[in-house]
């Protein structure tokens, strides 16, 4: 393949950036192999016959005059059965294959490895029949990739015609399983496809997302929900729990496929995911979480250019599963490291810097990335729907959100879970700040809530949030003049708001029972707390009333046990008892 | 020394700070080592290639460029990257920050020579940290346990006793399972007195025999500092992954390291990021910190304690900030406790060991460790809150429980946190002090420890 294309020669090397001359006819984002060691790189700028190449491996020991081989292909990922349960580096090389080929525990360079195993056989079951008229995106057949996910083999993009031949049986991914007769002759179809990572995969169009993605996290699902096909961000200083929050969403959310990108983060964190996911059981299906997961691990000390690519590699794979009609969730931890990789490459190319040294195109690249999320009608004549939810962690320096990465992210994401360092310091987790966070998807899913959870769910949510707002104001006053200066009504507000914080929002991600709460239970807990407030309010404002009597009620003491309740009947019983106890308070002695 | 005849260049074009530009070069490779012979000097000065294009190489010097000249300076490209020779005899030795023998002993006869740049550990080959390192310091062992394979920095400030703390950790640290343990200690840009202090401490207490020291002082070349931690970690990797030792690497002071990096970056006229530090500071830090860890199938581990001084005690300054994003928690040295005369002044509430739970429990420390730690943390937090309250409202307004907590907070600082610099406490001793102090509190406020634990340890 390489002989077909001319080779260039290295002119200049500075870190991960290599410039080569003699590259006339090269394409932007074409993949090249640099030097005799064949280090993988990608063309990111063309000027006459000089190409600037970002190299995905260490460039030590490479010098001017060495060859640069062109491949003619743009940077692409391999798509087909075998993606699930894989662990890749930023450019879709399986980390396991790197270890086996290099026979080393360290990442060495010049290793070529296929993203998808070429030897493994899969059982292909045809869905379409010979003679069917098929077009791009139509499902030809199915492969049971894992016990959770049936992989759909689709007609490749740009192909349509009549199905001339379709096979059934056991094949490797490169075997031809079908042939389509098109206007330009017969096109053989195998189970593997290629797609350039920087180009969004096409769909028939986006649709308005109206179904929540349930994460089992109480502060997310109830207070700041995200939809299937939405985009959200988790900014926070270090130690606030970004990774724990991302990981718990990846573990418990009701998306069918998870793509988790560890982008420039800690090596031990990826190891933790690798150790944990094969053993953790998905609460929605009862199968190990790994069976629906694809990991992309490009830790902070791995080559910086591959970190830049890892985000695109991940989202292209996610789009591919979306195109099969699945609901996919993508986690990127952390997009700040991705932006820093862009900044580093941009600096080496001596581009004019924008804010804080970031390139001027930071905002547009961020927007392009999050716009690849969405709820869509997939290609194909069956009109199936798929959704891709993108959630990015942001690591703002010093926790200051005025910096460029946070700002360009906030402009394009509609869910903002602001992690608060001071809450983390007080060991309140998840440290999602209930006053500054927001979700713009609440209106999208109101109807869903009313139909599937409870008719008054939106209203209960709003009243609880109001209470927290009021609490914040009252606490200011308490700090100045002490608790005794407050009226009974205000004391009640503080008492109930405390309960919302400690008994509802506080959630232990490491406690198996607490980490996942179904929406109905979330509603019941909050509803119970709010009914204590409503009824308490009527009682304590009915005349002279000693607030400590109210605080002494069993009901108040038991608010903390609400999250252990499992059945509706128990919630009913709790509210009934609360009602009786509070009514008892105002009976004259 | 040179085996092959190397081409010499007399084509230095310019010198700016530590950066030298050499023209008309041929066959130069990125990242290779450069020897520069300045007229009238016996020893060549060393540098490395930062950028190379046809006929031109940008060289970063490890030594100052003072006295070097454009005319008659000879430049040789060595064709290899910076390496250090290692063997097991390296234990007990002292080197400069540039990897040269400093203790007057003989050169190391290398078993092998290793590139100091290191390579990233394949995440697939990593093993999650497990089991603990006993530092003999209660504030660390009980409250923020150090786990083998972890990277846990000390965030300090000017004038705080982080050096004494570092030396104490180096003296006392051990694994309780009886395997071999070694310390690799590297200083960057510390004063002569500090370097001497460390050297003396290691010699005096006999810790030197299981240690390797790399000393770069403030008087040594700035750019050498960029290589110092990499020499140290390369030796650590050799000891841990080829010699099956548990290695603790202490790096001080990362602030000086980052400043050296900034100096080079600015001499190269790079676009600066925050506060003038290069945009790749995070990536550069990660290539140091991420060299901690465990590897599947190897018995040794690398644990790192980098020390940094926060400019103006500001945790949001780029150096502590970017460090915190990579490391697994941090110890914070408290100015308040230090002023109170408490040593070691570890700010228990601000400090965090993210991996502590992997290092504690039955067979590692003791079954009561996790609960006791939670209880001490909660009670101390309550005690401190009460202390603030007492300042506003007066001590007379406190009830009995509050008073007990106030007393507990004081006792906790005086008896648990305070510890003699030369007194080592085993983990069991530290835990027992914790239980003793809990007796100051009413039983009903001990909600984090199970009743049977109370029976067992407080009877």
């Amino acid at each position: 393949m390489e002989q077909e294309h001319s080779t260039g020669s290295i002119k200049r090397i500075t870190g991960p950036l290599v410039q080569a001359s003699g590259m006339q006819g090269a394409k932007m984002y074409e993949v090249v192999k640099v030097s005799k060691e064949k280090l993988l790189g990608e063309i990111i700028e063309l000027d006459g016959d000089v190409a600037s190449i970002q190299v995905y491996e260490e460039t030590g020991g490479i010098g001017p005059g060495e060859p640069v081989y062109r491949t003619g292909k743009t940077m692409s990922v391999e798509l087909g059965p075998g993606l699930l349960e894989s662990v890749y580096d930023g450019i879709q090389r399986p980390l396991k294959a790197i270890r086996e080929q290099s026979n080393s525990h360290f990442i060495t360079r010049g290793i070529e490895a296929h993203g998808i195993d070429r030897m493994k056989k899969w059982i292909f079951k045809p869905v379409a029949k010979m003679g069917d008229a098929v077009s791009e995106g139509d499902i030809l057949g199915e492969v049971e990739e894992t016990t959770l996910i049936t992989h759909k083999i689709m007609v490749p993009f740009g192909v349509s015609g009549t199905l001339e031949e379709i096979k059934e049986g056991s094949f490797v991914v490169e075997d031809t399983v079908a042939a389509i007769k098109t206007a330009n002759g017969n096109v053989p179809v195998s189970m593997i496809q290629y797609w350039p990572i920087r180009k969004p995969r096409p769909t028939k169009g986006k649709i308005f997302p109206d179904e929540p993605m349930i994460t089992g996290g109480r502060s997310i699902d109830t207070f700041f929900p995200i939809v299937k096909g939405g985009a959200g961000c988790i900014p926070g200083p270090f130690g606030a729990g970004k990774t724990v929050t991302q990981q718990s969403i990846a573990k418990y959310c009701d998306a069918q496929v998870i793509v988790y990108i560890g982008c420039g983060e800690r090596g031990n964190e990826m190891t933790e995911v690798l150790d944990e996911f094969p053993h953790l059981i998905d609460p929605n299906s009862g199968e190990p979480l790994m069976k629906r997961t694809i990991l992309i691990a490009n830790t902070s000390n791995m080559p910086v250019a591959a970190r830049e690519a890892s985000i695109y590699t991940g989202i292209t794979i996610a789009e591919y599963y979306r195109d099969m009609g699945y609901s996919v969730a993508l986690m990127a931890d952390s997009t700040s490291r991705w932006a820093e990789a862009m900044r580093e490459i941009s600096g080496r190319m001596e581009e004019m810097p924008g804010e804080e040294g970031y390139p001027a195109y930071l905002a547009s690249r961020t927007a392009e990335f999050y716009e690849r999320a969405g709820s869509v009608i997939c290609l194909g004549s069956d009109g199936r729907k798929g959704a891709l939810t993108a959630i990015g962690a942001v690591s703002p320096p010093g926790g200051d959100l005025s910096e460029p990465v946070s700002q360009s992210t906030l402009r394009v994401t509609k869910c903002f879970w602001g992690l608060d360092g001071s809450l983390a310091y007080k060991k309140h987790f998840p440290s999602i700040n209930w006053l500054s966070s927001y979700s713009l998807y609440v209106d999208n899913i109101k109807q869903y809530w009313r139909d599937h959870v409870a008719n008054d769910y939106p209203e209960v949510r709003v009243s609880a949030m109001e209470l927290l707002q009021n609490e914040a104001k009252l606490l200011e006053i308490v700090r100045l003049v002490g608790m005794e200066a407050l009226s009974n009504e205000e004391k009640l507000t503080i008492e109930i708001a405390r309960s919302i914080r400690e008994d509802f929002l506080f959630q232990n991600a490491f406690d198996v029972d607490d980490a996942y709460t179904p929406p109905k239970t979330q509603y019941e807990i909050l509803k119970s707390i709010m009914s204590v407030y409503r009824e308490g309010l009527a009682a304590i404002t009915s005349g002279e009333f000693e607030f400590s009597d109210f605080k002494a009620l069993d009901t108040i003491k038991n608010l903390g046990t609400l999250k252990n309740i499992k059945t509706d009947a128990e919630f009913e019983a709790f509210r009934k008892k609360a009602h009786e106890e509070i009514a008892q308070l105002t009976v004259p002695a | 020394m040179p085996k092959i005849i190397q081409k010499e260049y007399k084509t230095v074009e310019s010198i700016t700070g530590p950066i030298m530009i050499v023209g008309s070069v041929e066959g130069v490779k990125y990242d290779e080592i450069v020897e520069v012979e300045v007229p009238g000097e016996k020893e060549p000065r060393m540098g490395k290639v930062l950028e190379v294009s046809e006929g031109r190489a940008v060289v970063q010097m490890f030594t100052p460029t003072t006295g070097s000249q454009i005319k008659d300076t000879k430049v040789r490209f060595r064709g290899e990257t910076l390496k250090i020779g290692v063997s097991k005899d390296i234990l007990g030795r002292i080197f400069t920050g540039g990897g040269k023998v400093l203790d007057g002993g003989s050169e190391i006869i290398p078993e092998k020579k290793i590139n100091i740049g290191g390579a990233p550990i394949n995440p697939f080959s990593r093993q999650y940290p497990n089991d603990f390192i006993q530092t003999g310091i209660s504030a660390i062992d009980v409250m923020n346990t150090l786990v083998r394979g972890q990277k846990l920095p000390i965030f300090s400030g000017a004038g705080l006793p982080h050096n004494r703390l570092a030396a104490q950790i180096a003296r006392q640290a051990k694994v309780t399972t009886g395997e071999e343990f070694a310390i690799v200690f590297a200083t960057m840009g510390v004063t002569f007195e500090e370097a001497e202090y460390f050297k003396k401490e290691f010699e005096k207490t006999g810790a030197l025999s299981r240690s390797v020291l790399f000393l770069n002082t403030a008087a040594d070349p700035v750019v050498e500092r960029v290589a110092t931690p990499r020499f140290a970690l390369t030796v650590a990797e050799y000891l841990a992954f080829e010699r099956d030792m548990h290695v603790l690497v202490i790096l001080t002071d990362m602030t000086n390291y980052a400043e050296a990096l900034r100096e080079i970056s600015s001499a190269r006229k790079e676009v600066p990021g925050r506060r003038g530090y290069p945009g790749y500071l995070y990536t550069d830090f990660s290539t140091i910190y991420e060299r901690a860890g465990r590897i599947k199938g190897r018995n040794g581990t690398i644990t790192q304690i980098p020390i940094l001084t926060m400019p103006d005690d500001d945790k949001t300054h780029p150096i502590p900030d970017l460090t915190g994003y990579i490391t697994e928690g941090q110890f914070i040295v408290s100015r308040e406790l230090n002023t109170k005369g408490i040593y070691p002044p570890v700010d228990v509430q601000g400090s965090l060991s993210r991996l502590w739970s992997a290092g504690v429990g039955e067979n590692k420390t003791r079954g009561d460790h996790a609960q006791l730690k939670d209880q001490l943390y909660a009670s101390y937090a309550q005690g401190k809150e009460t202390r603030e309250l007492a300042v506003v409202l007066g001590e007379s307004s406190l009830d009995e429980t509050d008073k007990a907590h106030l007393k507990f907070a004081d006792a906790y600082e005086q008896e648990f946190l305070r510890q003699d610099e030369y007194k080592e406490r085993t983990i069991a001793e530290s835990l027992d002090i914790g239980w003793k102090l809990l007796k100051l509190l009413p039983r009903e406020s001990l909600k984090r420890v199970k009743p049977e634990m109370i029976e067992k340890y407080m009877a």
Side-chain angles (χ1 to χ4, degrees):
Chain A
M1 180 111 184
E2 272 130 27
Q3 285 77 15
E4 296 168 28
H5 302 278
S6 51
T7 46
S9 137
I10 298 180
K11 267 173 72 84
R12 171 173 177 252
I13 303 168
T14 161
L17 184 78
V18 167
Q19 284 172 329
S21 59
M23 300 289 285
Q24 55 274 47
K27 288 184 283 193
M28 275 296 271
Y29 299 114
E30 180 176 334
V31 175
V32 294
K33 296 193 174 148
V34 176
S35 92
K36 283 166 236 118
E37 291 203 50
K38 302 219 169 145
L39 309 181
L40 210 56
E42 184 182 11
I43 296 178
I44 52 171
E45 192 183 78
L46 288 168
D47 179 13
D49 73 338
V50 176
S52 298
I53 300 157
Q54 61 175 4
V55 182
Y56 294 124
E57 302 180 73
E58 287 304 326
T59 50
I62 308 293
E66 292 195 51
V68 172
Y69 307 97
R70 287 177 45 204
T71 64
K73 279 197 281 187
T74 49
M75 189 71 201
S76 300
V77 283
E78 297 180 346
L79 302 168
L83 287 167
L84 288 169
E85 298 185 84
S86 293
V87 186
Y88 294 118
D89 75 351
I91 45 175
Q92 213 205 2
R93 291 181 304 185
L95 289 175
K96 197 175 166 192
I98 293 182
R99 185 174 74 185
E100 281 161 6
Q101 278 191 35
S102 66
N103 199 18
S104 162
H105 292 295
F106 296 90
I107 305 242
T108 51
R109 61 187 193 180
I111 288 175
E112 283 185 71
H114 288 300
I116 291 179
D117 189 347
R118 294 296 196 273
M119 310 307 284
K120 178 157 181 172
K121 289 208 162 189
W122 300 93
I123 309 285
F124 176 80
K125 279 194 210 119
V127 174
K129 296 187 305 292
M130 246 188 320
D132 282 358
V134 290
S135 60
E136 54 189 20
D138 279 349
I139 294 170
L140 292 175
E142 291 176 345
V143 169
E144 197 186 307
E145 191 176 353
T146 68
T147 42
L148 280 177
I149 299 295
T150 305
H151 195 106
K152 314 271 167 70
I153 306 296
M154 296 171 284
V155 177
F157 182 64
V159 176
S160 65
T162 343
L163 198 54
E164 274 274 298
E165 186 194 4
I166 187 152
K167 297 179 186 166
E168 178 168 9
S170 176
F171 302 98
V172 298
V173 285
E174 282 180 321
D175 288 340
T176 301
V177 291
I180 296 165
K181 187 179 174 188
T182 70
N184 308 320
N186 266 17
V187 176
V189 179
S190 69
M191 290 191 278
I192 190 166
Q193 293 189 18
Y194 300 88
W195 194 265
I197 58 171
R198 292 173 202 280
K199 189 172 155 194
R201 283 176 61 87
T203 62
K204 277 195 175 158
K206 284 195 176 179
I207 49 177
F208 189 75
D210 55 5
E211 193 187 324
M213 183 172 87
I214 310 294
T215 68
R218 296 189 286 265
S219 41
I220 293 180
D221 290 351
T222 299
F223 273 26
F224 312 108
I226 189 160
V227 290
K228 290 195 173 120
C233 67
I234 311 181
F238 67 82
K242 286 184 298 297
T243 300
V244 175
T245 309
Q246 286 257 32
Q247 287 186 5
S248 9
I249 298 176
K251 283 174 197 168
Y252 301 116
C253 79
D254 66 348
Q256 289 155 300
V257 175
I258 308 288
V259 178
Y260 193 99
I261 311 171
C263 175
E265 288 285 311
R266 301 178 181 96
N268 279 335
E269 274 170 7
M270 292 320 298
T271 309
E272 192 182 4
V273 174
L274 284 174
D275 283 354
E276 217 178 354
F277 274 39
H279 303 115
L280 276 176
I281 300 299
D282 173 14
N284 303 301
S285 68
E287 289 284 327
L289 283 170
M290 204 61 201
K291 293 207 181 292
R292 62 165 190 174
T293 309
I294 297 157
L295 288 175
I296 296 180
N298 201 89
T299 58
S300 52
N301 55 342
M302 282 158 78
V304 73
R307 193 197 301 167
E308 194 267 342
S310 64
I311 292 278
Y312 296 106
T313 301
I315 200 153
T316 309
I317 294 174
E319 283 177 337
Y320 176 64
Y321 281 93
R322 173 205 67 192
D323 290 347
M324 295 178 204
Y326 288 117
S327 149
V328 184
L330 173 125
M331 316 285 151
D333 183 15
S334 150
T335 58
S336 293
R337 306 303 165 220
W338 169 60
E340 280 165 11
M342 261 193 271
R343 172 167 73 181
E344 186 169 340
I345 304 283
S346 161
R348 303 230 187 227
M349 290 185 40
E350 289 160 12
E351 291 175 338
M352 184 70 82
E355 220 179 323
E356 288 195 23
Y358 285 103
Y361 47 78
L362 170 69
S364 58
R365 294 269 170 94
T366 310
E368 273 164 26
F369 166 70
Y370 283 106
E371 268 306 286
R372 288 174 78 166
S375 192
V376 302
I377 306 277
C378 308
L379 285 184
S381 39
D382 58 354
R384 63 185 183 273
K385 290 177 190 165
L388 169 52
T389 315
I391 298 172
V394 183
S395 320
D400 171 14
L401 293 183
S402 66
E403 56 94 38
V405 183
S406 304
Q407 284 306 311
S408 55
T409 306
L410 285 176
R411 280 202 292 277
V412 288
T413 51
K414 293 173 86 177
C415 232
F416 167 74
W417 298 302
L419 300 190
D420 188 331
S422 62
L423 287 175
Y425 184 82
K426 289 181 201 147
K427 308 269 183 242
H428 177 99
F429 289 107
S431 65
I432 298 173
N433 185 308
W434 47 87
L435 299 176
S436 65
S437 302
Y438 59 80
S439 165
L440 302 180
Y441 294 117
V442 174
D443 288 333
N444 297 35
I445 56 170
K446 261 190 185 153
Q447 199 52 47
Y448 179 95
W449 272 346
R450 290 196 207 282
D451 295 345
H452 293 87
V453 185
N455 204 27
D456 62 342
Y457 195 5
E459 287 73 26
V460 171
R461 167 186 178 272
V462 169
S463 53
M465 289 177 76
E466 260 172 39
L467 213 59
L468 289 171
Q469 287 278 358
N470 290 338
E471 182 207 26
K473 280 182 225 153
L474 291 173
L475 286 178
E476 297 269 306
I477 301 172
V478 172
R479 223 161 278 142
L480 292 174
V481 294
M483 191 76 174
E484 287 314 305
L486 298 186
S487 70
N488 273 349
E489 191 183 339
E490 289 165 338
K491 281 181 191 161
L492 181 70
T493 300
I494 287 191
E495 189 60 31
I496 298 297
R498 188 193 53 75
S499 168
I500 297 175
R501 285 190 283 109
E502 292 177 5
D503 307 326
F504 183 75
L505 293 179
F506 177 84
Q507 194 168 7
N508 186 347
F510 300 106
D511 178 337
V512 193
D513 291 327
D514 196 25
Y516 177 82
T517 311
K520 178 79 173 145
T521 313
Q522 296 188 20
Y523 161 78
E524 292 287 353
I525 297 174
L526 197 59
K527 166 107 178 156
S528 304
I529 297 174
M530 291 313 290
S531 73
V532 171
Y533 173 73
R534 219 182 40 248
E535 296 185 15
L537 188 64
I540 61 170
T541 49
S542 64
E544 283 294 302
F545 189 85
E546 195 54 54
F547 190 72
S548 54
D549 291 348
F550 179 77
K551 255 182 107 166
L553 291 181
D554 280 347
T555 299
I556 302 298
K557 288 182 186 149
N558 288 339
L559 282 171
T561 61
L562 276 169
K563 60 176 124 181
N564 307 329
I565 293 184
K566 297 272 180 279
T567 65
D568 287 1
E570 287 174 273
F571 280 112
E572 276 305 321
F574 177 90
R575 288 199 286 264
K576 187 157 170 269
K577 178 155 184 256
H579 177 77
E580 284 163 5
E581 277 194 353
I582 293 168
Q584 203 64 35
L585 281 174
T586 45
V587 174
Chain B
M1 181 89 194
K3 278 167 280 181
I4 39 165
I5 300 154
Q6 284 162 326
K7 219 170 178 178
E8 270 183 358
Y9 295 94
K10 284 189 176 176
T11 46
V12 176
E13 287 178 355
S14 73
I15 304 170
T16 328
I19 304 291
M20 185 179 276
I21 293 174
V22 190
S24 316
V25 294
E26 251 174 47
V28 172
K29 311 289 187 199
Y30 176 69
D31 213 26
E32 73 175 297
I33 288 294
V34 183
E35 282 178 359
V36 176
E37 214 174 282
V38 178
E41 283 180 23
K42 264 200 281 175
E43 281 279 306
R45 302 185 187 194
M46 307 299 281
K48 72 166 189 176
V49 176
L50 271 190
E51 184 183 317
V52 54
S53 47
E54 281 169 335
R56 184 168 172 274
V58 178
V59 177
Q60 171 202 321
M61 299 303 299
F62 294 129
T63 50
T65 44
T66 321
S68 52
Q69 54 192 57
I70 288 181
K71 196 168 167 277
D72 290 338
T73 294
K74 291 178 197 157
V75 181
R76 283 190 297 272
F77 294 88
R78 291 262 298 268
E80 57 173 22
T81 48
L82 199 50
K83 289 190 166 84
I84 182 167
V86 291
S87 83
K88 205 160 184 193
D89 298 333
I90 206 163
L91 284 169
R93 302 298 302 271
I94 305 176
F95 299 88
T96 67
K100 294 208 176 75
V101 172
L102 187 72
D103 52 10
S106 59
E107 292 285 330
I108 299 288
I109 300 164
E111 177 193 317
K112 64 198 281 189
K113 287 185 132 193
I114 311 175
N115 178 2
I116 66 159
I121 302 177
N122 188 332
F124 202 78
S125 287
R126 270 185 191 271
Q127 207 169 7
Y128 200 66
N130 192 14
D131 225 333
F132 96 129
I133 290 178
Q134 179 176 298
T135 64
I137 297 169
S138 306
I140 294 177
D141 289 350
V142 176
M143 304 308 289
N144 290 291
T145 317
L146 183 62
V147 181
R148 296 176 201 170
Q150 183 176 19
K151 40 199 180 292
L152 193 52
I154 297 177
F155 287 6
S156 187
L160 293 175
H162 45 268
N163 284 338
R164 285 162 61 200
L165 183 61
Q168 187 174 7
I169 294 173
R171 278 196 308 269
Q172 300 180 354
K174 57 170 68 82
V175 292
T176 46
T177 43
E179 289 143 295
E180 277 195 283
F181 189 82
I183 305 264
V184 177
F185 192 92
T187 68
M188 290 153 278
V190 300
T191 61
F192 168 78
E193 282 160 54
E194 285 169 315
E196 276 304 295
Y197 166 77
F198 284 125
K199 226 159 82 182
K200 290 234 172 69
E201 282 294 314
F202 274 87
E203 280 165 0
K204 194 167 73 185
T205 56
L208 186 61
S209 62
R210 57 162 192 176
S211 309
V212 185
L213 270 60
F214 290 88
L215 302 178
N216 167 287
T217 66
D220 291 331
V222 172
V223 267
E224 185 183 280
R225 257 162 240 170
V226 178
T228 307
R230 297 189 162 86
F231 277 113
L233 286 160
T234 306
V235 171
E237 277 167 356
Y238 165 78
L239 294 174
F241 301 135
E242 293 181 36
R243 292 279 163 194
D244 287 344
M245 300 178 86
H246 294 288
V247 185
L248 176 66
V249 182
I250 301 176
L251 306 170
T252 181
D253 175 330
M254 290 305 289
T255 306
N256 298 334
Y257 170 85
E259 254 142 40
L261 213 57
R262 175 164 71 176
E263 207 174 314
I264 297 165
S265 168
S266 122
R268 291 190 67 193
K269 302 183 174 67
E270 290 175 334
V271 177
R274 256 194 337 146
R275 299 222 189 172
Y277 292 97
Y280 49 80
L281 185 61
Y282 175 85
T283 307
D284 190 276
F285 271 168
S286 75
T287 58
I288 293 176
Y289 300 145
E290 280 288 339
R291 288 173 82 174
R294 294 172 74 206
I295 288 182
K296 283 180 191 153
R298 303 287 164 93
N299 293 324
T301 57
I302 297 182
T303 310
Q304 258 189 55
I305 303 187
I307 298 170
L308 55 91
T309 43
M310 298 182 278
D312 199 24
D313 292 354
D314 176 11
K315 212 170 88 171
T316 67
H317 184 280
I319 297 171
D321 191 53
L322 295 178
T323 298
Y325 275 122
I326 305 167
T327 54
E328 284 134 353
Q330 68 280 333
F331 293 121
I332 293 189
V333 181
S334 156
R335 202 168 284 280
E336 188 195 331
L337 287 176
N338 188 53
T339 314
K340 276 187 173 176
I342 289 166
Y343 174 90
V346 178
D347 172 6
V348 172
Q349 284 174 297
S351 301
L352 165 77
S353 166
R354 287 168 190 256
L355 306 180
W356 77 279
S357 59
V360 308
E362 208 72 61
N363 301 328
K364 292 175 185 169
T365 55
R366 216 164 72 181
D368 56 324
H369 187 155
Q371 290 181 30
L372 176 67
K373 177 234 167 197
D374 283 346
Q375 185 63 57
L376 289 171
Y377 187 96
S379 301
Y380 181 53
Q382 198 177 338
K384 275 185 82 175
E385 229 169 83
T386 314
R387 193 186 278 162
E388 276 167 34
L389 215 63
V391 172
V392 181
L393 304 170
E395 216 164 300
S396 57
S397 68
L398 303 178
D399 64 18
E400 286 309 311
T401 316
D402 287 344
K403 279 181 189 154
H405 277 93
L406 199 59
K407 213 170 145 199
F408 171 82
D410 291 337
Y412 179 80
E413 287 172 2
Q414 294 299 339
E415 292 175 42
F416 186 86
L417 294 185
R418 184 198 285 279
Q419 188 172 346
D420 188 273
E421 208 174 324
Y422 292 91
K423 169 79 182 138
E424 184 179 341
R425 290 183 191 155
T426 66
I427 180 70
E429 283 168 354
S430 293
L431 292 169
D432 290 342
I433 298 174
W435 283 110
K436 193 187 98 194
L437 294 178
L438 287 184
K439 287 184 185 159
L440 295 169
L441 296 170
R443 277 288 166 95
E444 59 273 18
S445 56
L446 304 181
K447 288 178 187 155
R448 310 283 173 112
V449 281
K450 294 219 170 89
E452 55 266 30
M453 290 284 176
I454 296 183
E455 283 308 311
K456 189 167 169 192
Y457 292 102
M458 281 173 69

